[in-house]
Amino acid sequence: MKTMKIFATLLMLFAFTASVNAQFLTKEQEKAVKKDVKKFEKEGWKVKPGTPSISMQLTKSYQMAWERTSEGTDMWIMGEGSSIGSIYDAARTQAMTVAQGEIARKMKTDMTTQIEQSLANEQFEQKQAESIAQTVVTAMGKSVDQTIGRPSSLVEMYRDLPNGNVEVLVRLAVSTAKLDGLTKQGIERARREALEKRVGEVKDKME
């Protein structure tokens, strides 16, 4: 009797979770998820026992991809990576590295753009703003890598290949709130460097 109650509770919890998930998706989005689930399953992708199904993983991933802030900007920066190896763990590690690399590139591009815009608003020439922004973002590369060191794992699936190898696919996400903090640091650093350059230019003219 106790086992039946636990089972019934789990069923209710699953139904509630599915209902909540559905509330975040439009009919068009639900259709897109179902289409991709069929595509992945047809291509032979599957998940490890005890992990969420492909459908659940993609639903969560797409929900986060469609989440926006009050300003209409993305709430998450995502990266995807796949890798082939003779064993699962090795392929997974490499796929994670690829996905994190994609996130890092996106973060650095966004940071560079925002720093350039900030300097442009302070009447810096475009080439100078671009140069300073690139220098600052390059110098902050380690901070970017540390920020994406523990991303949220949204998708992890694999498929067995005819030659005996295994291919692993992962999709990771990092909150844009973390990017905002780094960007603020970058803008402050860029302003200091820009000011130093201006002071240097003035000194050169006076000499």
Side-chain angles (χ1 to χ4, degrees), residues 153-167:
S153 180
L154 307 180
V155 172
E156 182 177 331
M157 61 181 82
Y158 73 100
R159 60 180 173 181
D160 297 313
L161 302 179
N163 62 1
N165 286 337
V166 60
E167 182 177 9

mmCIF file with all atom_site columns, all heavy atoms in Angstrom, residues 153-167:
data_model
loop_
_atom_site.group_PDB
_atom_site.id
_atom_site.type_symbol
_atom_site.label_atom_id
_atom_site.label_alt_id
_atom_site.label_comp_id
_atom_site.label_asym_id
_atom_site.label_entity_id
_atom_site.label_seq_id
_atom_site.pdbx_PDB_ins_code
_atom_site.Cartn_x
_atom_site.Cartn_y
_atom_site.Cartn_z
_atom_site.occupancy
_atom_site.B_iso_or_equiv
_atom_site.pdbx_formal_charge
_atom_site.auth_seq_id
_atom_site.auth_comp_id
_atom_site.auth_asym_id
_atom_site.auth_atom_id
_atom_site.pdbx_PDB_model_num
ATOM 1   N N   . SER A 1 153 ? 24.510 22.054 -17.422 1.00 0.00 ? 153 SER A N   1
ATOM 2   C CA  . SER A 1 153 ? 24.433 21.039 -18.471 1.00 0.00 ? 153 SER A CA  1
ATOM 3   C C   . SER A 1 153 ? 22.970 20.834 -18.861 1.00 0.00 ? 153 SER A C   1
ATOM 4   O O   . SER A 1 153 ? 22.148 20.453 -18.039 1.00 0.00 ? 153 SER A O   1
ATOM 5   C CB  . SER A 1 153 ? 25.041 19.725 -17.984 1.00 0.00 ? 153 SER A CB  1
ATOM 6   O OG  . SER A 1 153 ? 24.966 18.746 -18.996 1.00 0.00 ? 153 SER A OG  1
ATOM 7   N N   . LEU A 1 154 ? 22.640 21.105 -20.115 1.00 0.00 ? 154 LEU A N   1
ATOM 8   C CA  . LEU A 1 154 ? 21.255 21.024 -20.575 1.00 0.00 ? 154 LEU A CA  1
ATOM 9   C C   . LEU A 1 154 ? 20.982 19.750 -21.367 1.00 0.00 ? 154 LEU A C   1
ATOM 10  O O   . LEU A 1 154 ? 19.919 19.157 -21.245 1.00 0.00 ? 154 LEU A O   1
ATOM 11  C CB  . LEU A 1 154 ? 20.918 22.241 -21.460 1.00 0.00 ? 154 LEU A CB  1
ATOM 12  C CG  . LEU A 1 154 ? 21.204 23.617 -20.859 1.00 0.00 ? 154 LEU A CG  1
ATOM 13  C CD1 . LEU A 1 154 ? 20.812 24.703 -21.838 1.00 0.00 ? 154 LEU A CD1 1
ATOM 14  C CD2 . LEU A 1 154 ? 20.482 23.794 -19.537 1.00 0.00 ? 154 LEU A CD2 1
ATOM 15  N N   . VAL A 1 155 ? 21.936 19.385 -22.194 1.00 0.00 ? 155 VAL A N   1
ATOM 16  C CA  . VAL A 1 155 ? 21.753 18.204 -23.048 1.00 0.00 ? 155 VAL A CA  1
ATOM 17  C C   . VAL A 1 155 ? 23.004 17.335 -22.987 1.00 0.00 ? 155 VAL A C   1
ATOM 18  O O   . VAL A 1 155 ? 24.117 17.845 -23.055 1.00 0.00 ? 155 VAL A O   1
ATOM 19  C CB  . VAL A 1 155 ? 21.493 18.623 -24.519 1.00 0.00 ? 155 VAL A CB  1
ATOM 20  C CG1 . VAL A 1 155 ? 21.506 17.396 -25.437 1.00 0.00 ? 155 VAL A CG1 1
ATOM 21  C CG2 . VAL A 1 155 ? 20.178 19.375 -24.650 1.00 0.00 ? 155 VAL A CG2 1
ATOM 22  N N   . GLU A 1 156 ? 22.802 16.049 -22.825 1.00 0.00 ? 156 GLU A N   1
ATOM 23  C CA  . GLU A 1 156 ? 23.900 15.091 -22.914 1.00 0.00 ? 156 GLU A CA  1
ATOM 24  C C   . GLU A 1 156 ? 23.341 13.786 -23.458 1.00 0.00 ? 156 GLU A C   1
ATOM 25  O O   . GLU A 1 156 ? 22.573 13.103 -22.801 1.00 0.00 ? 156 GLU A O   1
ATOM 26  C CB  . GLU A 1 156 ? 24.554 14.848 -21.555 1.00 0.00 ? 156 GLU A CB  1
ATOM 27  C CG  . GLU A 1 156 ? 25.737 13.885 -21.642 1.00 0.00 ? 156 GLU A CG  1
ATOM 28  C CD  . GLU A 1 156 ? 26.448 13.679 -20.312 1.00 0.00 ? 156 GLU A CD  1
ATOM 29  O OE1 . GLU A 1 156 ? 26.439 14.609 -19.491 1.00 0.00 ? 156 GLU A OE1 1
ATOM 30  O OE2 . GLU A 1 156 ? 27.016 12.583 -20.113 1.00 0.00 ? 156 GLU A OE2 1
ATOM 31  N N   . MET A 1 157 ? 23.704 13.489 -24.691 1.00 0.00 ? 157 MET A N   1
ATOM 32  C CA  . MET A 1 157 ? 23.233 12.256 -25.324 1.00 0.00 ? 157 MET A CA  1
ATOM 33  C C   . MET A 1 157 ? 24.371 11.637 -26.125 1.00 0.00 ? 157 MET A C   1
ATOM 34  O O   . MET A 1 157 ? 25.402 12.274 -26.343 1.00 0.00 ? 157 MET A O   1
ATOM 35  C CB  . MET A 1 157 ? 22.016 12.536 -26.212 1.00 0.00 ? 157 MET A CB  1
ATOM 36  C CG  . MET A 1 157 ? 22.272 13.505 -27.359 1.00 0.00 ? 157 MET A CG  1
ATOM 37  S SD  . MET A 1 157 ? 20.788 13.827 -28.369 1.00 0.00 ? 157 MET A SD  1
ATOM 38  C CE  . MET A 1 157 ? 19.973 15.082 -27.378 1.00 0.00 ? 157 MET A CE  1
ATOM 39  N N   . TYR A 1 158 ? 24.180 10.402 -26.534 1.00 0.00 ? 158 TYR A N   1
ATOM 40  C CA  . TYR A 1 158 ? 25.239 9.723  -27.276 1.00 0.00 ? 158 TYR A CA  1
ATOM 41  C C   . TYR A 1 158 ? 24.645 8.742  -28.269 1.00 0.00 ? 158 TYR A C   1
ATOM 42  O O   . TYR A 1 158 ? 23.448 8.417  -28.220 1.00 0.00 ? 158 TYR A O   1
ATOM 43  C CB  . TYR A 1 158 ? 26.164 8.978  -26.309 1.00 0.00 ? 158 TYR A CB  1
ATOM 44  C CG  . TYR A 1 158 ? 25.546 7.725  -25.721 1.00 0.00 ? 158 TYR A CG  1
ATOM 45  C CD1 . TYR A 1 158 ? 25.854 6.459  -26.237 1.00 0.00 ? 158 TYR A CD1 1
ATOM 46  C CD2 . TYR A 1 158 ? 24.645 7.799  -24.657 1.00 0.00 ? 158 TYR A CD2 1
ATOM 47  C CE1 . TYR A 1 158 ? 25.293 5.310  -25.709 1.00 0.00 ? 158 TYR A CE1 1
ATOM 48  C CE2 . TYR A 1 158 ? 24.073 6.654  -24.129 1.00 0.00 ? 158 TYR A CE2 1
ATOM 49  C CZ  . TYR A 1 158 ? 24.398 5.414  -24.646 1.00 0.00 ? 158 TYR A CZ  1
ATOM 50  O OH  . TYR A 1 158 ? 23.823 4.274  -24.135 1.00 0.00 ? 158 TYR A OH  1
ATOM 51  N N   . ARG A 1 159 ? 25.487 8.299  -29.181 1.00 0.00 ? 159 ARG A N   1
ATOM 52  C CA  . ARG A 1 159 ? 25.069 7.241  -30.103 1.00 0.00 ? 159 ARG A CA  1
ATOM 53  C C   . ARG A 1 159 ? 26.276 6.362  -30.427 1.00 0.00 ? 159 ARG A C   1
ATOM 54  O O   . ARG A 1 159 ? 27.412 6.833  -30.505 1.00 0.00 ? 159 ARG A O   1
ATOM 55  C CB  . ARG A 1 159 ? 24.463 7.822  -31.377 1.00 0.00 ? 159 ARG A CB  1
ATOM 56  C CG  . ARG A 1 159 ? 25.385 8.721  -32.188 1.00 0.00 ? 159 ARG A CG  1
ATOM 57  C CD  . ARG A 1 159 ? 24.656 9.225  -33.421 1.00 0.00 ? 159 ARG A CD  1
ATOM 58  N NE  . ARG A 1 159 ? 25.440 10.218 -34.159 1.00 0.00 ? 159 ARG A NE  1
ATOM 59  C CZ  . ARG A 1 159 ? 25.016 10.830 -35.260 1.00 0.00 ? 159 ARG A CZ  1
ATOM 60  N NH1 . ARG A 1 159 ? 23.814 10.561 -35.747 1.00 0.00 ? 159 ARG A NH1 1
ATOM 61  N NH2 . ARG A 1 159 ? 25.778 11.708 -35.880 1.00 0.00 ? 159 ARG A NH2 1
ATOM 62  N N   . ASP A 1 160 ? 26.001 5.077  -30.609 1.00 0.00 ? 160 ASP A N   1
ATOM 63  C CA  . ASP A 1 160 ? 27.048 4.117  -30.958 1.00 0.00 ? 160 ASP A CA  1
ATOM 64  C C   . ASP A 1 160 ? 27.247 4.121  -32.465 1.00 0.00 ? 160 ASP A C   1
ATOM 65  O O   . ASP A 1 160 ? 26.284 4.073  -33.231 1.00 0.00 ? 160 ASP A O   1
ATOM 66  C CB  . ASP A 1 160 ? 26.646 2.718  -30.480 1.00 0.00 ? 160 ASP A CB  1
ATOM 67  C CG  . ASP A 1 160 ? 26.510 2.658  -28.963 1.00 0.00 ? 160 ASP A CG  1
ATOM 68  O OD1 . ASP A 1 160 ? 27.423 3.151  -28.285 1.00 0.00 ? 160 ASP A OD1 1
ATOM 69  O OD2 . ASP A 1 160 ? 25.486 2.135  -28.478 1.00 0.00 ? 160 ASP A OD2 1
ATOM 70  N N   . LEU A 1 161 ? 28.496 4.210  -32.895 1.00 0.00 ? 161 LEU A N   1
ATOM 71  C CA  . LEU A 1 161 ? 28.815 4.258  -34.316 1.00 0.00 ? 161 LEU A CA  1
ATOM 72  C C   . LEU A 1 161 ? 29.155 2.867  -34.843 1.00 0.00 ? 161 LEU A C   1
ATOM 73  O O   . LEU A 1 161 ? 29.573 1.992  -34.085 1.00 0.00 ? 161 LEU A O   1
ATOM 74  C CB  . LEU A 1 161 ? 29.985 5.206  -34.538 1.00 0.00 ? 161 LEU A CB  1
ATOM 75  C CG  . LEU A 1 161 ? 29.760 6.653  -34.054 1.00 0.00 ? 161 LEU A CG  1
ATOM 76  C CD1 . LEU A 1 161 ? 31.002 7.494  -34.314 1.00 0.00 ? 161 LEU A CD1 1
ATOM 77  C CD2 . LEU A 1 161 ? 28.541 7.277  -34.734 1.00 0.00 ? 161 LEU A CD2 1
ATOM 78  N N   . PRO A 1 162 ? 28.983 2.655  -36.150 1.00 0.00 ? 162 PRO A N   1
ATOM 79  C CA  . PRO A 1 162 ? 29.235 1.330  -36.748 1.00 0.00 ? 162 PRO A CA  1
ATOM 80  C C   . PRO A 1 162 ? 30.645 0.796  -36.517 1.00 0.00 ? 162 PRO A C   1
ATOM 81  O O   . PRO A 1 162 ? 30.844 -0.422 -36.451 1.00 0.00 ? 162 PRO A O   1
ATOM 82  C CB  . PRO A 1 162 ? 28.994 1.589  -38.242 1.00 0.00 ? 162 PRO A CB  1
ATOM 83  C CG  . PRO A 1 162 ? 28.029 2.731  -38.273 1.00 0.00 ? 162 PRO A CG  1
ATOM 84  C CD  . PRO A 1 162 ? 28.443 3.619  -37.128 1.00 0.00 ? 162 PRO A CD  1
ATOM 85  N N   . ASN A 1 163 ? 31.625 1.704  -36.390 1.00 0.00 ? 163 ASN A N   1
ATOM 86  C CA  . ASN A 1 163 ? 33.014 1.256  -36.209 1.00 0.00 ? 163 ASN A CA  1
ATOM 87  C C   . ASN A 1 163 ? 33.355 0.943  -34.757 1.00 0.00 ? 163 ASN A C   1
ATOM 88  O O   . ASN A 1 163 ? 34.509 0.666  -34.427 1.00 0.00 ? 163 ASN A O   1
ATOM 89  C CB  . ASN A 1 163 ? 33.985 2.304  -36.750 1.00 0.00 ? 163 ASN A CB  1
ATOM 90  C CG  . ASN A 1 163 ? 33.875 3.639  -36.017 1.00 0.00 ? 163 ASN A CG  1
ATOM 91  O OD1 . ASN A 1 163 ? 33.081 3.791  -35.092 1.00 0.00 ? 163 ASN A OD1 1
ATOM 92  N ND2 . ASN A 1 163 ? 34.660 4.605  -36.447 1.00 0.00 ? 163 ASN A ND2 1
ATOM 93  N N   . GLY A 1 164 ? 32.363 1.001  -33.872 1.00 0.00 ? 164 GLY A N   1
ATOM 94  C CA  . GLY A 1 164 ? 32.592 0.665  -32.471 1.00 0.00 ? 164 GLY A CA  1
ATOM 95  C C   . GLY A 1 164 ? 32.861 1.858  -31.576 1.00 0.00 ? 164 GLY A C   1
ATOM 96  O O   . GLY A 1 164 ? 32.885 1.731  -30.346 1.00 0.00 ? 164 GLY A O   1
ATOM 97  N N   . ASN A 1 165 ? 33.071 3.025  -32.183 1.00 0.00 ? 165 ASN A N   1
ATOM 98  C CA  . ASN A 1 165 ? 33.272 4.243  -31.394 1.00 0.00 ? 165 ASN A CA  1
ATOM 99  C C   . ASN A 1 165 ? 31.935 4.789  -30.894 1.00 0.00 ? 165 ASN A C   1
ATOM 100 O O   . ASN A 1 165 ? 30.867 4.345  -31.305 1.00 0.00 ? 165 ASN A O   1
ATOM 101 C CB  . ASN A 1 165 ? 33.978 5.315  -32.231 1.00 0.00 ? 165 ASN A CB  1
ATOM 102 C CG  . ASN A 1 165 ? 35.444 5.011  -32.440 1.00 0.00 ? 165 ASN A CG  1
ATOM 103 O OD1 . ASN A 1 165 ? 36.045 4.270  -31.665 1.00 0.00 ? 165 ASN A OD1 1
ATOM 104 N ND2 . ASN A 1 165 ? 36.033 5.556  -33.493 1.00 0.00 ? 165 ASN A ND2 1
ATOM 105 N N   . VAL A 1 166 ? 32.024 5.770  -30.019 1.00 0.00 ? 166 VAL A N   1
ATOM 106 C CA  . VAL A 1 166 ? 30.824 6.412  -29.494 1.00 0.00 ? 166 VAL A CA  1
ATOM 107 C C   . VAL A 1 166 ? 30.931 7.922  -29.727 1.00 0.00 ? 166 VAL A C   1
ATOM 108 O O   . VAL A 1 166 ? 32.012 8.499  -29.599 1.00 0.00 ? 166 VAL A O   1
ATOM 109 C CB  . VAL A 1 166 ? 30.640 6.115  -27.979 1.00 0.00 ? 166 VAL A CB  1
ATOM 110 C CG1 . VAL A 1 166 ? 31.835 6.618  -27.176 1.00 0.00 ? 166 VAL A CG1 1
ATOM 111 C CG2 . VAL A 1 166 ? 29.360 6.746  -27.453 1.00 0.00 ? 166 VAL A CG2 1
ATOM 112 N N   . GLU A 1 167 ? 29.826 8.541  -30.115 1.00 0.00 ? 167 GLU A N   1
ATOM 113 C CA  . GLU A 1 167 ? 29.781 9.988  -30.315 1.00 0.00 ? 167 GLU A CA  1
ATOM 114 C C   . GLU A 1 167 ? 28.922 10.604 -29.206 1.00 0.00 ? 167 GLU A C   1
ATOM 115 O O   . GLU A 1 167 ? 27.807 10.138 -28.954 1.00 0.00 ? 167 GLU A O   1
ATOM 116 C CB  . GLU A 1 167 ? 29.194 10.343 -31.674 1.00 0.00 ? 167 GLU A CB  1
ATOM 117 C CG  . GLU A 1 167 ? 29.162 11.852 -31.940 1.00 0.00 ? 167 GLU A CG  1
ATOM 118 C CD  . GLU A 1 167 ? 28.640 12.200 -33.323 1.00 0.00 ? 167 GLU A CD  1
ATOM 119 O OE1 . GLU A 1 167 ? 28.144 11.285 -34.018 1.00 0.00 ? 167 GLU A OE1 1
ATOM 120 O OE2 . GLU A 1 167 ? 28.713 13.384 -33.701 1.00 0.00 ? 167 GLU A OE2 1
#
